[in-house]
Amino acid sequence: MYNMKCIGVLTSGGDAPGMNAAIRAVTRTAIFNNLQVKAIYRGYKGLITNEIVPFQTESVSNIIQHGGTIIKTARCVEFRTPEGRKQAYDNLVKGGIDGLVVIGGDGTFTGARIFAQEFNFPIVGIPGTIDNDLYGTDTTIGYDTALNTIVEAVDKIRDTASSHERLFLVEVMGRDAGFLALYGALASGAEAAIIPEIVTEVDQLEQLIQHGFRKSKNSSIVLVSESEITGGAMGIANRLKEKGYNPHVTILGHIQRGGSPTANDRILASRIGVAAVDALLDEQRSIMIGIVNNEIVHVPFNKAIKDEKPVDKYMFDVLRLLSI
Ligand code: ATP
């Protein structure tokens, strides 16, 4: 019989708004189920350097509304080595932790999968990343807040774009996933989105020019995913300049990561946090908790990490149709 007494929780990789709401949900669900909770500061780094702190209900009071993560996050090179992971395991055993909830993105789950296999350790993952690039969940914690931040910024840029009758290229995050650019463009009424998933099929810029993206309008806003594949906003701007256009570039950068989480992100984080502890108590391991069609799902780490999450290409057509 499985006898879990104490769980650990950590946040790892890039921070995302809603991580605090997830930490709160994990902590309180564990305490409700008579488990001890220990927070591991600075992700896998803190596991190796033994930054482990017992948490009570009050430890997570007044945090649901804050962006970032109260238990900090880090990228940890040592955890990529067997020696680093052994040290981490020894500290978990020393701390009496017998199950772990990790909140992060695909890198975090890759590390968790390897660690869980090496030490036969129960780990459940919570998808916390603004990029929404994890397979098996409709949305990730932080994505909705980042999307709203982008929309707010583009609304402001549009004021100057239309006053000066200019073409603006707005670069948004997403690494090799175009969700933020595509849905940000749809929500802000931008004329187009240049995203990595489509760039590989057609030259989106040529297509835009052929369709005469400024013909009927005196200003244009195009959202571009920050990615080597798209070339980013600067890469697109250089190509446009060669064709006689005069684009202005705005790179939104880290403002997309911060801020108070939206209601949707807080609710998502709360639901997934509860489900993560339930899964551990239910003897589940090496899975990510996701949401599909508003239902909680369990996705093996292998699938969440390796499978590509496709963007809905129909939405790309909708964007084009609405920007005539
Ligand atoms: P984000 O999507 O916001 O960048 P992430 O979880 O993908 O978040 P990463 O920096 O890629 O962020 O990964 C977080 C940490 O996971 C790394 O710093 C490292 O400690 C661990 N990790 C990633 N890949 C591996 C691996 N192959 N083996 C062991 N650990 C890994």
Side-chain angles (χ1 to χ4, degrees):
M1 173 65 194
Y2 206 58
N3 191 14
M4 194 160 289
K5 291 200 181 73
C6 175
I7 64 160
V9 59
L10 62 81
T11 48
S12 159
D15 64 308
M19 280 184 162
N20 282 327
I23 296 164
R24 172 179 178 269
V26 168
T27 302
R28 294 207 168 152
T29 309
I31 292 170
F32 179 81
N33 284 287
N34 299 315
L35 296 171
Q36 273 185 284
V37 185
K38 292 192 176 171
I40 297 132
Y41 280 68
R42 296 176 181 80
Y44 295 133
K45 196 166 176 219
L47 211 47
I48 292 171
T49 54
N50 207 17
E51 290 184 80
I52 302 177
V53 177
F55 259 29
Q56 286 79 37
T57 315
E58 316 78 71
S59 311
V60 291
S61 296
N62 203 18
I63 66 167
I64 196 168
Q65 72 275 34
H66 296 303
T69 157
I70 60 158
I71 56 176
K72 316 293 177 193
T73 184
R75 303 199 196 263
C76 175
V77 181
E78 296 89 334
F79 198 74
R80 293 174 186 270
T81 66
E83 298 76 26
R85 293 193 294 272
K86 174 70 170 67
Q87 182 66 55
Y89 177 71
D90 290 346
N91 286 334
L92 278 175
V93 172
K94 207 161 64 183
I97 297 172
D98 34 29
L100 198 57
V101 176
V102 297
I103 308 170
D106 59 349
T108 300
F109 298 157
T110 305
R113 188 187 61 83
I114 295 168
F115 184 85
Q117 212 164 30
E118 272 173 352
F119 299 101
N120 190 25
F121 200 87
I123 308 185
V124 168
I126 291 183
T129 168
I130 65 164
D131 301 338
N132 196 27
D133 59 349
L134 287 163
Y135 177 88
T137 184
D138 288 345
T139 180
T140 57
I141 296 165
Y143 170 63
D144 186 60
T145 307
L147 201 53
N148 278 285
T149 303
I150 289 168
V151 170
E152 210 176 300
V154 174
D155 286 349
K156 287 178 179 159
I157 291 166
R158 188 176 289 288
D159 288 346
T160 189
S162 60
S163 301
H164 286 272
E165 304 186 294
R166 280 179 177 161
L167 164 62
F168 266 84
L169 300 173
V170 182
E171 183 175 291
V172 301
M173 285 184 169
R175 276 192 300 198
D176 292 329
F179 295 96
L180 286 172
L182 177 57
Y183 288 88
L186 267 168
S188 61
E191 278 61 41
I194 297 185
I195 65 173
E197 292 90 337
I198 307 270
V199 161
T200 49
E201 286 171 25
V202 286
D203 188 332
Q204 282 177 269
L205 192 60
E206 280 303 329
Q207 220 174 38
L208 276 172
I209 291 167
Q210 273 164 27
H211 286 99
F213 64 115
R214 300 192 71 198
K215 278 203 182 108
S216 59
K217 297 180 180 177
N218 63 5
S219 70
S220 283
I221 296 182
V222 176
L223 267 62
V224 183
S225 294
E226 161 203 51
S227 158
E228 274 178 26
I229 302 170
T230 61
M234 290 307 288
I236 300 288
N238 289 337
R239 287 183 58 199
L240 277 168
K241 279 179 195 159
E242 283 165 16
K243 292 173 190 290
Y245 291 88
N246 182 25
H248 292 257
V249 170
T250 301
I251 297 173
L252 293 188
H254 281 85
I255 64 159
Q256 295 165 89
R257 283 250 180 101
S260 181
T262 58
N264 278 336
D265 271 332
R266 297 181 200 194
I267 293 165
L268 180 71
S270 300
R271 283 184 73 186
I272 293 185
V274 171
V277 177
D278 283 349
L280 274 178
L281 288 170
D282 212 20
E283 303 184 24
Q284 303 283 326
R285 48 174 67 202
S286 292
I287 52 159
M288 175 193 83
I289 308 291
I291 292 261
V292 173
N293 295 329
N294 207 26
E295 298 282 344
I296 291 283
V297 291
H298 292 177
V299 188
F301 279 152
N302 269 345
K303 285 194 91 58
I305 299 159
K306 294 217 179 89
D307 288 6
E308 288 287 311
K309 182 175 185 176
V311 286
D312 185 350
K313 302 252 169 88
Y314 172 67
M315 288 306 188
F316 198 75
D317 295 336
V318 170
L319 176 64
R320 197 177 305 159
L321 183 141
L322 296 180
S323 65
I324 52 171

Short mmCIF file of all heavy atoms in Angstrom, two decimals, residues 10 33 35 42 55 59 64 92 98 136 153 173 175 183 191 200 215 235-236 243 245 267 275 288 316:
data_model
loop_
_atom_site.label_atom_id
_atom_site.label_comp_id
_atom_site.label_asym_id
_atom_site.label_seq_id
_atom_site.Cartn_x
_atom_site.Cartn_y
_atom_site.Cartn_z
N LEU A 10 7.59 22.57 -6.46
CA LEU A 10 8.59 23.51 -6.97
C LEU A 10 8.10 24.13 -8.27
O LEU A 10 7.26 23.58 -8.97
CB LEU A 10 9.95 22.83 -7.16
CG LEU A 10 10.10 21.67 -8.14
CD1 LEU A 10 10.27 22.13 -9.58
CD2 LEU A 10 11.34 20.84 -7.75
N ASN A 33 -5.73 16.98 2.89
CA ASN A 33 -5.65 15.51 2.89
C ASN A 33 -4.65 14.97 3.92
O ASN A 33 -4.14 13.85 3.78
CB ASN A 33 -5.26 15.02 1.49
CG ASN A 33 -6.43 15.09 0.52
OD1 ASN A 33 -7.35 14.29 0.59
ND2 ASN A 33 -6.42 16.07 -0.37
N LEU A 35 -1.59 15.73 4.49
CA LEU A 35 -0.20 15.54 4.07
C LEU A 35 0.62 16.74 4.55
O LEU A 35 0.09 17.84 4.69
CB LEU A 35 -0.11 15.51 2.54
CG LEU A 35 -0.80 14.37 1.80
CD1 LEU A 35 -0.77 14.64 0.30
CD2 LEU A 35 -0.10 13.05 2.08
N ARG A 42 13.62 27.76 -5.87
CA ARG A 42 14.48 27.84 -7.07
C ARG A 42 14.53 26.54 -7.89
O ARG A 42 15.57 26.13 -8.37
CB ARG A 42 15.90 28.29 -6.70
CG ARG A 42 15.90 29.68 -6.14
CD ARG A 42 17.19 30.23 -5.65
NE ARG A 42 16.93 31.56 -5.13
CZ ARG A 42 16.42 31.82 -3.93
NH1 ARG A 42 16.15 30.82 -3.11
NH2 ARG A 42 16.16 33.05 -3.56
N PHE A 55 5.77 24.17 4.47
CA PHE A 55 4.71 25.15 4.21
C PHE A 55 3.47 24.80 5.01
O PHE A 55 3.12 23.63 5.17
CB PHE A 55 4.36 25.15 2.71
CG PHE A 55 4.98 26.31 1.94
CD1 PHE A 55 6.18 26.88 2.35
CD2 PHE A 55 4.35 26.83 0.81
CE1 PHE A 55 6.74 27.94 1.64
CE2 PHE A 55 4.90 27.89 0.10
CZ PHE A 55 6.09 28.45 0.52
N SER A 59 1.24 29.94 4.65
CA SER A 59 2.39 30.22 3.77
C SER A 59 1.93 30.68 2.39
O SER A 59 2.68 31.32 1.66
CB SER A 59 3.26 28.98 3.59
OG SER A 59 3.57 28.38 4.83
N ILE A 64 -2.61 34.61 -4.40
CA ILE A 64 -3.32 34.19 -5.63
C ILE A 64 -3.31 35.30 -6.69
O ILE A 64 -3.32 35.02 -7.89
CB ILE A 64 -4.76 33.72 -5.30
CG1 ILE A 64 -5.35 32.93 -6.47
CG2 ILE A 64 -5.67 34.88 -4.93
CD1 ILE A 64 -6.64 32.20 -6.15
N LEU A 92 15.76 14.92 -1.21
CA LEU A 92 14.34 14.59 -1.09
C LEU A 92 14.13 13.55 0.01
O LEU A 92 13.24 13.68 0.85
CB LEU A 92 13.81 14.03 -2.42
CG LEU A 92 13.40 15.03 -3.50
CD1 LEU A 92 13.01 14.30 -4.77
CD2 LEU A 92 12.23 15.91 -3.03
N ASP A 98 7.96 12.30 -0.20
CA ASP A 98 7.75 11.07 -0.98
C ASP A 98 6.90 11.24 -2.22
O ASP A 98 6.50 10.25 -2.85
CB ASP A 98 7.26 9.90 -0.11
CG ASP A 98 6.37 10.33 1.01
OD1 ASP A 98 5.68 11.36 0.86
OD2 ASP A 98 6.36 9.68 2.05
N GLY A 136 -1.48 18.07 -25.16
CA GLY A 136 -2.33 17.35 -24.22
C GLY A 136 -3.15 18.23 -23.31
O GLY A 136 -3.93 17.73 -22.51
N ALA A 153 -1.31 45.92 -25.00
CA ALA A 153 -0.18 46.64 -25.62
C ALA A 153 -0.49 46.98 -27.08
O ALA A 153 -0.24 48.11 -27.53
CB ALA A 153 1.08 45.78 -25.54
N MET A 173 6.26 36.74 -27.55
CA MET A 173 6.97 35.51 -27.17
C MET A 173 6.26 34.28 -27.72
O MET A 173 5.23 34.38 -28.38
CB MET A 173 7.08 35.42 -25.65
CG MET A 173 8.11 36.37 -25.07
SD MET A 173 8.26 36.14 -23.29
CE MET A 173 9.73 37.11 -22.97
N ARG A 175 8.44 31.24 -28.35
CA ARG A 175 9.49 30.36 -28.87
C ARG A 175 9.06 29.79 -30.21
O ARG A 175 8.80 30.54 -31.14
CB ARG A 175 9.85 29.28 -27.85
CG ARG A 175 10.85 29.79 -26.86
CD ARG A 175 11.42 28.70 -26.04
NE ARG A 175 10.38 28.01 -25.29
CZ ARG A 175 10.61 27.26 -24.25
NH1 ARG A 175 11.83 27.07 -23.83
NH2 ARG A 175 9.64 26.67 -23.62
N TYR A 183 -3.41 34.21 -31.73
CA TYR A 183 -4.60 34.59 -30.96
C TYR A 183 -4.51 36.04 -30.48
O TYR A 183 -5.53 36.72 -30.35
CB TYR A 183 -4.85 33.60 -29.82
CG TYR A 183 -5.35 32.28 -30.36
CD1 TYR A 183 -4.46 31.27 -30.74
CD2 TYR A 183 -6.71 32.05 -30.55
CE1 TYR A 183 -4.91 30.08 -31.28
CE2 TYR A 183 -7.18 30.86 -31.09
CZ TYR A 183 -6.27 29.87 -31.46
OH TYR A 183 -6.71 28.69 -32.01
N GLU A 191 -3.74 42.97 -38.40
CA GLU A 191 -3.96 42.58 -39.80
C GLU A 191 -3.44 41.18 -40.10
O GLU A 191 -3.94 40.49 -40.98
CB GLU A 191 -3.28 43.58 -40.75
CG GLU A 191 -4.10 44.83 -41.00
CD GLU A 191 -4.38 45.64 -39.75
OE1 GLU A 191 -3.46 45.78 -38.91
OE2 GLU A 191 -5.52 46.11 -39.57
N THR A 200 6.91 27.62 -42.21
CA THR A 200 7.54 26.48 -42.86
C THR A 200 6.77 26.01 -44.10
O THR A 200 7.31 25.34 -44.95
CB THR A 200 7.66 25.30 -41.87
OG1 THR A 200 6.38 25.12 -41.26
CG2 THR A 200 8.69 25.57 -40.81
N LYS A 215 -3.39 48.15 -48.60
CA LYS A 215 -4.10 48.82 -49.69
C LYS A 215 -5.31 49.61 -49.21
O LYS A 215 -5.49 50.76 -49.54
CB LYS A 215 -4.53 47.80 -50.74
CG LYS A 215 -3.38 47.49 -51.70
CD LYS A 215 -3.90 46.97 -53.01
CE LYS A 215 -2.73 46.62 -53.92
NZ LYS A 215 -2.57 45.19 -54.06
N GLY A 235 13.86 40.62 -38.27
CA GLY A 235 14.11 39.90 -39.53
C GLY A 235 13.07 40.26 -40.58
O GLY A 235 13.39 40.52 -41.75
N ILE A 236 11.81 40.31 -40.16
CA ILE A 236 10.73 40.65 -41.09
C ILE A 236 10.86 42.11 -41.53
O ILE A 236 10.68 42.45 -42.71
CB ILE A 236 9.34 40.42 -40.41
CG1 ILE A 236 9.17 38.96 -39.98
CG2 ILE A 236 8.21 40.87 -41.32
CD1 ILE A 236 8.95 37.95 -41.10
N LYS A 243 11.97 45.85 -49.61
CA LYS A 243 10.88 45.96 -50.59
C LYS A 243 10.24 47.34 -50.59
O LYS A 243 9.16 47.55 -51.13
CB LYS A 243 9.81 44.89 -50.28
CG LYS A 243 10.31 43.48 -50.54
CD LYS A 243 9.31 42.45 -50.06
CE LYS A 243 9.89 41.05 -50.10
NZ LYS A 243 10.08 40.53 -51.44
N TYR A 245 9.16 49.20 -47.94
CA TYR A 245 8.27 49.57 -46.83
C TYR A 245 9.07 50.21 -45.70
O TYR A 245 10.30 50.09 -45.65
CB TYR A 245 7.55 48.33 -46.29
CG TYR A 245 6.53 47.74 -47.23
CD1 TYR A 245 6.91 46.79 -48.18
CD2 TYR A 245 5.20 48.12 -47.17
CE1 TYR A 245 5.97 46.23 -49.04
CE2 TYR A 245 4.25 47.57 -48.03
CZ TYR A 245 4.64 46.63 -48.96
OH TYR A 245 3.72 46.08 -49.81
N ILE A 267 -8.26 30.40 -11.99
CA ILE A 267 -9.19 29.26 -11.87
C ILE A 267 -8.52 27.99 -12.42
O ILE A 267 -8.57 26.92 -11.80
CB ILE A 267 -10.51 29.56 -12.62
CG1 ILE A 267 -11.25 30.70 -11.90
CG2 ILE A 267 -11.40 28.32 -12.72
CD1 ILE A 267 -12.36 31.34 -12.71
N ALA A 275 -6.11 18.85 -8.74
CA ALA A 275 -6.04 17.58 -9.47
C ALA A 275 -4.65 16.94 -9.36
O ALA A 275 -4.54 15.71 -9.38
CB ALA A 275 -6.42 17.80 -10.93
N MET A 288 1.43 14.76 -16.65
CA MET A 288 1.08 16.17 -16.54
C MET A 288 -0.44 16.26 -16.42
O MET A 288 -1.16 15.50 -17.08
CB MET A 288 1.53 16.91 -17.80
CG MET A 288 1.12 18.37 -17.84
SD MET A 288 1.34 19.08 -19.51
CE MET A 288 -0.19 18.57 -20.32
N PHE A 316 -6.15 30.86 -38.50
CA PHE A 316 -5.30 31.68 -39.36
C PHE A 316 -6.14 32.21 -40.53
O PHE A 316 -6.03 33.39 -40.91
CB PHE A 316 -4.14 30.82 -39.86
CG PHE A 316 -3.01 31.61 -40.39
CD1 PHE A 316 -2.15 32.29 -39.53
CD2 PHE A 316 -2.80 31.72 -41.76
CE1 PHE A 316 -1.11 33.04 -40.02
CE2 PHE A 316 -1.77 32.47 -42.25
CZ PHE A 316 -0.92 33.12 -41.39
#
